[in-house]
Amino acid sequence: MRNLLLVLALVAVATGQSSRFRQEFPGPYCAARFGSSNCCQDRQDGCAQPISTTLCYCDEFCDRGEHGDCCPDYEEVCLGMPPSEPENATSCLYKNRYFTPFDPNIVDNCNTCKCNMDGSVTCTEDICLVDDDLLRQLHHLERSIGWKATNYSEWWGRKYDEGKVLRLGTFQPKILVKAMKRLSNKGGVLPKYFDASEHWTGLITEARDQGWCGSSWAFSTATMASDRFAILSKGREMVQLAPQQMLACVRRQRGCNGGHLDTAWQYLRRVGVVNEECYPYIAAQNVCKISPEDTLVTANCELPVKVNRTLMYKMGPAFSLNNETDIMTEIKERGTVQAIMRVYRDFFSYRSGVYRHSAAATPAEERSAYHSVRLIGWGEDRVGYDVVKYWIAINSWGQWWGENGRFRILRGSNECDIESYVLASNPYVHEHVQAIRKVGELQELIVGTGYVPHPSRRYPPYGRG
């Protein structure tokens, strides 16, 4: 066997192609000898690796000059020598870096570049989630757009298409759903600034991270419902509801590839969900382990301490809010709300300030996608002679992003469609909660039907959950 490889080596040397021979069989060989020493002393015929149709060796005996039968990476792995360049090899230059057709492709952000045999370089041309040109333009426009951008390492190396699918995940509502009759709130004088997390201290869920799973439809629904359980129960039912259950169990959705909000709310109303500890989030769609007939007991969930709850956490019918004032009144009176927004590539780089979409690096082929977030308050800033009104929102990308997981966005102008489809719902808390069943005081509209319940219709009491 060793004689056969010796013939190959001699032929390679005789033709002046030994280094090229090594490049054509890059391995790894000696470096791949896991479970034992990579290299062996003296002659050990078992210290070998398959190469082509024969064997090469990683022992000291293999290193015999022109009669050697060492593996191509023997000098690099066993002797610590740098790999030799192939003789007369084609060399390519890309961004001040030389490489050959035998080298691994160069990774440039979300694209890869290959050295061709004729010395040319071929690169993929995907739009990256973030790149130097985009950041440069955003920094240049900083004063005019009113917000700051930064380079998040989480986005680097990712394609924009990946971000749209796996970091967002809410579908635009269907026409009939969006056209449903909307609630008008009769509110009093509204303050210039309001933050639900300051008004209801400790009861608002801070930003969580959905990971690389297009589950904002489940996250924004679960976290808003959690907020409202805590607020309406006055802290007695502080629960982190499980987006993973909706990701796995809600039918007619696409899991980590997105979902509709109206379908999520219908599930919360009819089936209900368990808490996060009972159904932990894994950023992937798995097999549903909850049936519509389950309770917290049959689902083997730990029961809450402060209330005697055994049934699932359910929400009442979701309803849509009509305008800026109605949204503000709803937040102030009953807690956070859920909003759909259109997301452009520059939004991923948001760091601080009041966001508005910029025209930075927006090629014709770059399309926006939809996302859902929680609105928790509002405020206004004075910039020169202008007053800039904004919403305070919580995203689902973790607290490393934006203003500790939050962002501010222009208010009153439907920036990025943020005011076009805003939903709220009230929970079936364990103890009776008033002022959420009377038609006229609060019309409960079933999402997607536009149906207004008649005052004589019977409803299950809130104390049943």
Side-chain angles (χ1 to χ4, degrees):
M1 184 66 71
R2 299 192 77 147
N3 290 334
L4 177 59
L5 187 60
L6 178 59
V7 172
L8 287 173
L10 287 172
V11 171
V13 172
T15 57
Q17 298 296 319
S18 60
S19 57
R20 176 62 61 87
F21 172 75
R22 291 191 174 193
Q23 289 293 328
E24 291 176 352
F25 297 92
Y29 299 100
C30 298
R33 285 177 46 77
F34 299 113
S36 61
S37 173
N38 295 103
C39 309
C40 307
Q41 295 181 345
D42 302 322
R43 175 172 179 167
Q44 296 186 33
D45 290 348
C47 192
Q49 288 287 88
I51 180 171
S52 186
T53 59
T54 183
L55 296 175
C56 65
Y57 294 84
C58 302
D59 58 4
E60 292 179 340
F61 183 73
C62 78
D63 190 12
R64 304 190 305 281
E66 64 180 19
H67 300 292
D69 50 7
C70 297
C71 291
D73 61 351
Y74 173 79
E75 292 182 346
E76 179 182 356
V77 175
C78 299
L79 303 182
M81 298 172 59
S84 58
E85 291 293 330
E87 298 176 7
N88 302 319
T90 301
S91 181
C92 299
L93 177 63
Y94 181 76
K95 291 189 175 181
N96 298 320
R97 180 177 173 183
Y98 286 96
F99 67 122
T100 73
F102 306 103
D103 292 325
N105 292 342
I106 289 179
V107 177
D108 183 10
N109 198 347
C110 71
N111 290 294
T112 56
C113 298
K114 176 184 178 181
C115 177
N116 301 313
M117 294 301 294
D118 62 359
S120 63
V121 177
T122 303
C123 298
T124 56
E125 298 180 349
D126 292 302
I127 299 175
C128 299
L129 197 52
V130 64
D131 57 39
D132 292 331
D133 288 339
L134 174 64
L135 293 170
R136 192 179 301 112
Q137 291 186 55
L138 289 175
H139 289 320
H140 179 72
L141 294 171
E142 191 173 289
R143 288 189 177 182
S144 61
I145 60 178
W147 57 275
K148 295 182 179 181
T150 193
N151 183 7
Y152 294 106
S153 59
E154 182 75 13
W155 305 149
W156 200 261
R158 293 283 191 166
K159 300 174 184 178
Y160 180 48
D161 285 342
E162 288 182 277
K164 287 191 295 184
V165 174
L166 300 178
R167 273 296 182 172
L168 305 181
T170 300
F171 297 144
Q172 188 176 12
K174 298 174 183 177
I175 295 176
L176 290 178
V177 173
K178 203 169 183 178
M180 64 184 284
K181 186 176 179 180
R182 301 189 175 197
L183 172 73
S184 293
N185 270 324
K186 294 181 180 179
V189 178
L190 295 168
K192 291 184 177 180
Y193 174 84
F194 182 84
D195 184 337
S197 64
E198 296 175 2
H199 185 73
W200 292 291
T201 305
L203 302 186
I204 305 300
T205 306
E206 288 299 334
R208 299 184 61 192
D209 194 343
Q210 68 185 65
W212 289 94
C213 170
S215 56
S216 67
W217 64 272
F219 257 82
S220 59
T221 302
T223 50
M224 195 205 87
S226 299
D227 293 345
R228 294 224 161 189
F229 262 102
I231 292 169
L232 269 71
S233 69
K234 298 182 179 179
R236 297 196 68 196
E237 292 206 78
M238 292 188 61
V239 58
Q240 190 72 260
L241 298 180
Q244 185 63 41
Q245 181 184 338
M246 288 189 283
L247 199 62
C249 302
V250 180
R251 297 180 179 179
R252 302 190 305 277
Q253 303 283 60
R254 297 183 187 176
C256 281
N257 291 319
H260 288 283
L261 297 186
D262 58 309
T263 307
W265 285 111
Q266 288 170 9
Y267 181 85
L268 265 179
R269 175 172 171 261
R270 295 170 182 171
V271 179
V273 294
V274 299
N275 57 26
E276 175 71 18
E277 292 76 14
C278 190
Y279 214 139
Y281 185 67
I282 61 171
Q285 187 174 10
N286 57 0
V287 177
C288 179
K289 64 180 184 180
I290 299 291
S291 72
E293 295 77 26
D294 268 329
T295 65
L296 297 181
V297 176
T298 59
N300 296 318
C301 299
E302 185 176 345
L303 299 180
V305 176
K306 293 185 178 180
V307 295
N308 187 26
R309 171 184 288 276
T310 59
L311 300 182
M312 294 285 189
Y313 294 93
K314 291 186 177 182
M315 299 291 290
F319 50 90
S320 180
L321 297 162
N322 192 40
N323 54 40
E324 176 188 358
T325 302
D326 293 336
I327 297 169
M328 294 165 69
T329 302
E330 181 67 26
I331 295 173
K332 181 176 178 293
E333 296 298 326
R334 283 170 283 274
T336 62
V337 298
Q338 180 186 49
I340 276 185
M341 66 176 290
R342 187 190 296 267
V343 170
Y344 298 88
R345 191 163 68 116
D346 60 356
F347 182 71
F348 288 90
S349 300
Y350 170 88
R351 178 66 185 91
S352 62
V354 179
Y355 174 80
R356 69 182 75 190
H357 171 52
S358 73
T362 308
E365 66 270 27
E366 180 185 319
R367 297 180 180 179
S368 60
Y370 280 87
H371 190 40
S372 54
V373 298
R374 281 177 294 154
L375 299 183
I376 68 165
W378 64 86
E380 57 183 54
D381 285 340
R382 182 170 291 278
V383 180
Y385 295 101
D386 298 325
V387 174
V388 178
K389 301 191 302 179
Y390 60 82
W391 295 109
I392 305 171
I394 297 183
N395 202 353
S396 52
W397 293 346
Q399 296 185 32
W400 54 266
W401 180 88
E403 298 176 329
N404 296 318
R406 302 181 178 193
F407 66 99
R408 288 173 288 157
I409 186 170
L410 283 179
R411 170 168 59 94
S413 57
N414 197 27
E415 177 67 29
C416 297
D417 294 341
I418 192 74
E419 295 154 13
S420 64
Y421 189 61
V422 180
L423 299 176
S425 176
N426 291 295
Y428 292 149
V429 296
H430 183 71
E431 294 184 351
H432 181 71
V433 178
Q434 297 179 345
I436 57 176
R437 286 297 188 186
K438 295 180 181 178
V439 175
E441 180 176 344
L442 178 63
Q443 295 178 333
E444 293 186 312
L445 304 180
I446 300 175
V447 174
T449 66
Y451 174 69
V452 182
H454 191 274
S456 64
R457 179 174 176 177
R458 293 181 177 273
Y459 296 96
Y462 275 70
R464 296 289 294 278

PDB file of all heavy atoms in Angstrom, residues 157-171:
ATOM      1  N   GLY A 157     -23.665  39.413   8.535  1.00  0.00           N
ATOM      2  CA  GLY A 157     -23.576  38.099   7.911  1.00  0.00           C
ATOM      3  C   GLY A 157     -24.926  37.508   7.557  1.00  0.00           C
ATOM      4  O   GLY A 157     -25.002  36.404   7.012  1.00  0.00           O
ATOM      5  N   ARG A 158     -25.999  38.228   7.846  1.00  0.00           N
ATOM      6  CA  ARG A 158     -27.349  37.744   7.553  1.00  0.00           C
ATOM      7  C   ARG A 158     -27.923  38.469   6.334  1.00  0.00           C
ATOM      8  O   ARG A 158     -27.706  39.660   6.137  1.00  0.00           O
ATOM      9  CB  ARG A 158     -28.272  37.983   8.750  1.00  0.00           C
ATOM     10  CG  ARG A 158     -27.914  37.155   9.977  1.00  0.00           C
ATOM     11  CD  ARG A 158     -28.364  35.719   9.812  1.00  0.00           C
ATOM     12  NE  ARG A 158     -28.261  34.970  11.057  1.00  0.00           N
ATOM     13  CZ  ARG A 158     -28.827  33.787  11.256  1.00  0.00           C
ATOM     14  NH1 ARG A 158     -29.531  33.217  10.298  1.00  0.00           N
ATOM     15  NH2 ARG A 158     -28.674  33.162  12.408  1.00  0.00           N
ATOM     16  N   LYS A 159     -28.700  37.742   5.553  1.00  0.00           N
ATOM     17  CA  LYS A 159     -29.358  38.329   4.390  1.00  0.00           C
ATOM     18  C   LYS A 159     -30.618  39.077   4.830  1.00  0.00           C
ATOM     19  O   LYS A 159     -31.260  38.711   5.813  1.00  0.00           O
ATOM     20  CB  LYS A 159     -29.728  37.234   3.386  1.00  0.00           C
ATOM     21  CG  LYS A 159     -28.540  36.449   2.858  1.00  0.00           C
ATOM     22  CD  LYS A 159     -28.996  35.298   1.977  1.00  0.00           C
ATOM     23  CE  LYS A 159     -27.804  34.453   1.524  1.00  0.00           C
ATOM     24  NZ  LYS A 159     -28.238  33.294   0.709  1.00  0.00           N
ATOM     25  N   TYR A 160     -30.948  40.107   4.060  1.00  0.00           N
ATOM     26  CA  TYR A 160     -32.159  40.875   4.355  1.00  0.00           C
ATOM     27  C   TYR A 160     -33.395  39.986   4.281  1.00  0.00           C
ATOM     28  O   TYR A 160     -34.316  40.113   5.091  1.00  0.00           O
ATOM     29  CB  TYR A 160     -32.266  42.048   3.384  1.00  0.00           C
ATOM     30  CG  TYR A 160     -33.481  42.925   3.593  1.00  0.00           C
ATOM     31  CD1 TYR A 160     -33.824  43.384   4.863  1.00  0.00           C
ATOM     32  CD2 TYR A 160     -34.284  43.299   2.524  1.00  0.00           C
ATOM     33  CE1 TYR A 160     -34.936  44.185   5.061  1.00  0.00           C
ATOM     34  CE2 TYR A 160     -35.394  44.105   2.711  1.00  0.00           C
ATOM     35  CZ  TYR A 160     -35.717  44.542   3.980  1.00  0.00           C
ATOM     36  OH  TYR A 160     -36.824  45.332   4.171  1.00  0.00           O
ATOM     37  N   ASP A 161     -33.413  39.063   3.336  1.00  0.00           N
ATOM     38  CA  ASP A 161     -34.545  38.139   3.236  1.00  0.00           C
ATOM     39  C   ASP A 161     -34.683  37.284   4.493  1.00  0.00           C
ATOM     40  O   ASP A 161     -35.795  36.946   4.907  1.00  0.00           O
ATOM     41  CB  ASP A 161     -34.390  37.236   2.008  1.00  0.00           C
ATOM     42  CG  ASP A 161     -34.688  37.975   0.709  1.00  0.00           C
ATOM     43  OD1 ASP A 161     -35.324  39.047   0.774  1.00  0.00           O
ATOM     44  OD2 ASP A 161     -34.274  37.493  -0.362  1.00  0.00           O
ATOM     45  N   GLU A 162     -33.552  36.912   5.110  1.00  0.00           N
ATOM     46  CA  GLU A 162     -33.607  36.164   6.371  1.00  0.00           C
ATOM     47  C   GLU A 162     -34.247  37.011   7.463  1.00  0.00           C
ATOM     48  O   GLU A 162     -35.075  36.533   8.242  1.00  0.00           O
ATOM     49  CB  GLU A 162     -32.199  35.765   6.811  1.00  0.00           C
ATOM     50  CG  GLU A 162     -31.536  34.675   6.016  1.00  0.00           C
ATOM     51  CD  GLU A 162     -30.167  34.346   6.588  1.00  0.00           C
ATOM     52  OE1 GLU A 162     -29.198  35.056   6.257  1.00  0.00           O
ATOM     53  OE2 GLU A 162     -30.067  33.387   7.379  1.00  0.00           O
ATOM     54  N   GLY A 163     -33.839  38.266   7.529  1.00  0.00           N
ATOM     55  CA  GLY A 163     -34.383  39.155   8.549  1.00  0.00           C
ATOM     56  C   GLY A 163     -35.877  39.361   8.399  1.00  0.00           C
ATOM     57  O   GLY A 163     -36.618  39.364   9.385  1.00  0.00           O
ATOM     58  N   LYS A 164     -36.331  39.527   7.152  1.00  0.00           N
ATOM     59  CA  LYS A 164     -37.758  39.757   6.920  1.00  0.00           C
ATOM     60  C   LYS A 164     -38.604  38.563   7.338  1.00  0.00           C
ATOM     61  O   LYS A 164     -39.709  38.722   7.859  1.00  0.00           O
ATOM     62  CB  LYS A 164     -38.002  40.076   5.438  1.00  0.00           C
ATOM     63  CG  LYS A 164     -37.539  41.459   5.016  1.00  0.00           C
ATOM     64  CD  LYS A 164     -38.043  41.818   3.636  1.00  0.00           C
ATOM     65  CE  LYS A 164     -37.454  40.921   2.562  1.00  0.00           C
ATOM     66  NZ  LYS A 164     -37.881  41.343   1.209  1.00  0.00           N
ATOM     67  N   VAL A 165     -38.091  37.365   7.114  1.00  0.00           N
ATOM     68  CA  VAL A 165     -38.863  36.161   7.436  1.00  0.00           C
ATOM     69  C   VAL A 165     -38.700  35.767   8.899  1.00  0.00           C
ATOM     70  O   VAL A 165     -39.684  35.501   9.602  1.00  0.00           O
ATOM     71  CB  VAL A 165     -38.440  34.987   6.520  1.00  0.00           C
ATOM     72  CG1 VAL A 165     -39.140  33.699   6.951  1.00  0.00           C
ATOM     73  CG2 VAL A 165     -38.752  35.301   5.070  1.00  0.00           C
ATOM     74  N   LEU A 166     -37.455  35.748   9.389  1.00  0.00           N
ATOM     75  CA  LEU A 166     -37.173  35.147  10.686  1.00  0.00           C
ATOM     76  C   LEU A 166     -37.077  36.127  11.847  1.00  0.00           C
ATOM     77  O   LEU A 166     -37.055  35.703  13.008  1.00  0.00           O
ATOM     78  CB  LEU A 166     -35.870  34.341  10.600  1.00  0.00           C
ATOM     79  CG  LEU A 166     -35.879  33.200   9.573  1.00  0.00           C
ATOM     80  CD1 LEU A 166     -34.529  32.501   9.541  1.00  0.00           C
ATOM     81  CD2 LEU A 166     -36.991  32.202   9.879  1.00  0.00           C
ATOM     82  N   ARG A 167     -37.005  37.437  11.575  1.00  0.00           N
ATOM     83  CA  ARG A 167     -36.962  38.404  12.672  1.00  0.00           C
ATOM     84  C   ARG A 167     -38.243  39.229  12.767  1.00  0.00           C
ATOM     85  O   ARG A 167     -38.389  40.038  13.669  1.00  0.00           O
ATOM     86  CB  ARG A 167     -35.755  39.327  12.519  1.00  0.00           C
ATOM     87  CG  ARG A 167     -34.489  38.769  13.157  1.00  0.00           C
ATOM     88  CD  ARG A 167     -34.656  38.632  14.652  1.00  0.00           C
ATOM     89  NE  ARG A 167     -33.458  38.152  15.320  1.00  0.00           N
ATOM     90  CZ  ARG A 167     -33.320  38.098  16.639  1.00  0.00           C
ATOM     91  NH1 ARG A 167     -34.314  38.488  17.417  1.00  0.00           N
ATOM     92  NH2 ARG A 167     -32.223  37.633  17.183  1.00  0.00           N
ATOM     93  N   LEU A 168     -39.165  39.014  11.829  1.00  0.00           N
ATOM     94  CA  LEU A 168     -40.464  39.685  11.871  1.00  0.00           C
ATOM     95  C   LEU A 168     -41.520  38.607  12.093  1.00  0.00           C
ATOM     96  O   LEU A 168     -41.562  38.011  13.134  1.00  0.00           O
ATOM     97  CB  LEU A 168     -40.689  40.481  10.582  1.00  0.00           C
ATOM     98  CG  LEU A 168     -39.589  41.494  10.222  1.00  0.00           C
ATOM     99  CD1 LEU A 168     -39.931  42.228   8.938  1.00  0.00           C
ATOM    100  CD2 LEU A 168     -39.350  42.468  11.350  1.00  0.00           C
ATOM    101  N   GLY A 169     -42.390  38.387  11.114  1.00  0.00           N
ATOM    102  CA  GLY A 169     -43.282  37.238  11.237  1.00  0.00           C
ATOM    103  C   GLY A 169     -44.753  37.534  11.415  1.00  0.00           C
ATOM    104  O   GLY A 169     -45.500  36.647  11.820  1.00  0.00           O
ATOM    105  N   THR A 170     -45.191  38.755  11.122  1.00  0.00           N
ATOM    106  CA  THR A 170     -46.625  39.047  11.200  1.00  0.00           C
ATOM    107  C   THR A 170     -47.136  39.376   9.806  1.00  0.00           C
ATOM    108  O   THR A 170     -46.567  40.225   9.120  1.00  0.00           O
ATOM    109  CB  THR A 170     -46.904  40.224  12.148  1.00  0.00           C
ATOM    110  OG1 THR A 170     -46.439  39.885  13.459  1.00  0.00           O
ATOM    111  CG2 THR A 170     -48.394  40.537  12.206  1.00  0.00           C
ATOM    112  N   PHE A 171     -48.191  38.698   9.396  1.00  0.00           N
ATOM    113  CA  PHE A 171     -48.750  38.953   8.073  1.00  0.00           C
ATOM    114  C   PHE A 171     -49.672  40.163   8.106  1.00  0.00           C
ATOM    115  O   PHE A 171     -50.347  40.424   9.110  1.00  0.00           O
ATOM    116  CB  PHE A 171     -49.535  37.739   7.575  1.00  0.00           C
ATOM    117  CG  PHE A 171     -48.690  36.506   7.392  1.00  0.00           C
ATOM    118  CD1 PHE A 171     -49.207  35.251   7.666  1.00  0.00           C
ATOM    119  CD2 PHE A 171     -47.381  36.599   6.951  1.00  0.00           C
ATOM    120  CE1 PHE A 171     -48.440  34.108   7.498  1.00  0.00           C
ATOM    121  CE2 PHE A 171     -46.599  35.467   6.783  1.00  0.00           C
ATOM    122  CZ  PHE A 171     -47.132  34.221   7.060  1.00  0.00           C
TER     123      PHE A 171
END
